[in-house]
């Protein structure tokens, strides 16, 4: 079942003016909240994965391979 995000809240956690982690709180449609903490290496991995996924959608499809289907978007 696809996740539907109702809200996102984020904040940076620092110690002595140095980045420690990014806190990301996500609320779904059932008002359940999940808190994710990303240290710098984890955040770099996440951003790289997102960047790679975005690039894969922007590249033209090879006609010999089946088309990729994007996840359905929620309608308001």
């Amino acid at each position: 079942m696809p996740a539907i995000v109702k809200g996102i809240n984020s904040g940076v956690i620092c110690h002595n003016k140095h980045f420690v982690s990014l806190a990301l709180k996500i609320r779904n449609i059932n008002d359940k909240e999940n808190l994710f903490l990303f240290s710098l290496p984890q955040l770099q991995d996440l951003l790289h994965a997102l960047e790679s996924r975005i690039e894969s959608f922007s590249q033209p499809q090879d006609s010999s391979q089946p088309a990729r289907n994007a996840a359905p978007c929620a309608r308001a």
Side-chain angles (χ1 to χ4, degrees), residues 4-7 25-34:
I4 298 175
V5 176
K6 181 178 175 183
K25 182 168 64 172
I26 299 176
R27 180 179 300 147
N28 66 20
I29 59 172
N30 298 326
D31 287 334
K32 179 182 175 189
E33 295 179 349
N34 293 298

Side-chain angles (χ1 to χ4, degrees), residues 50-59:
L50 292 172
E51 182 182 47
S52 297
R53 187 67 177 153
I54 289 170
E55 287 175 1
S56 71
F57 279 109
S58 64
Q59 294 175 356

Side-chain angles (χ1 to χ4, degrees), residues 5-72:
V5 176
K6 181 178 175 183
I8 297 177
N9 191 2
S10 64
V12 175
I13 300 171
C14 295
H15 178 68
N16 292 333
K17 297 185 179 183
H18 294 285
F19 176 86
V20 175
S21 65
L22 173 75
L24 184 64
K25 182 168 64 172
I26 299 176
R27 180 179 300 147
N28 66 20
I29 59 172
N30 298 326
D31 287 334
K32 179 182 175 189
E33 295 179 349
N34 293 298
L35 179 64
F36 300 94
L37 297 173
F38 295 96
S39 65
L40 186 58
Q42 293 171 328
L43 188 57
Q44 289 172 327
D45 289 345
L46 173 66
L47 294 176
H48 179 69
L50 292 172
E51 182 182 47
S52 297
R53 187 67 177 153
I54 289 170
E55 287 175 1
S56 71
F57 279 109
S58 64
Q59 294 175 356
Q61 289 289 320
D62 182 359
S63 61
S64 65
Q65 296 191 4
R68 240 182 257 130
N69 293 328

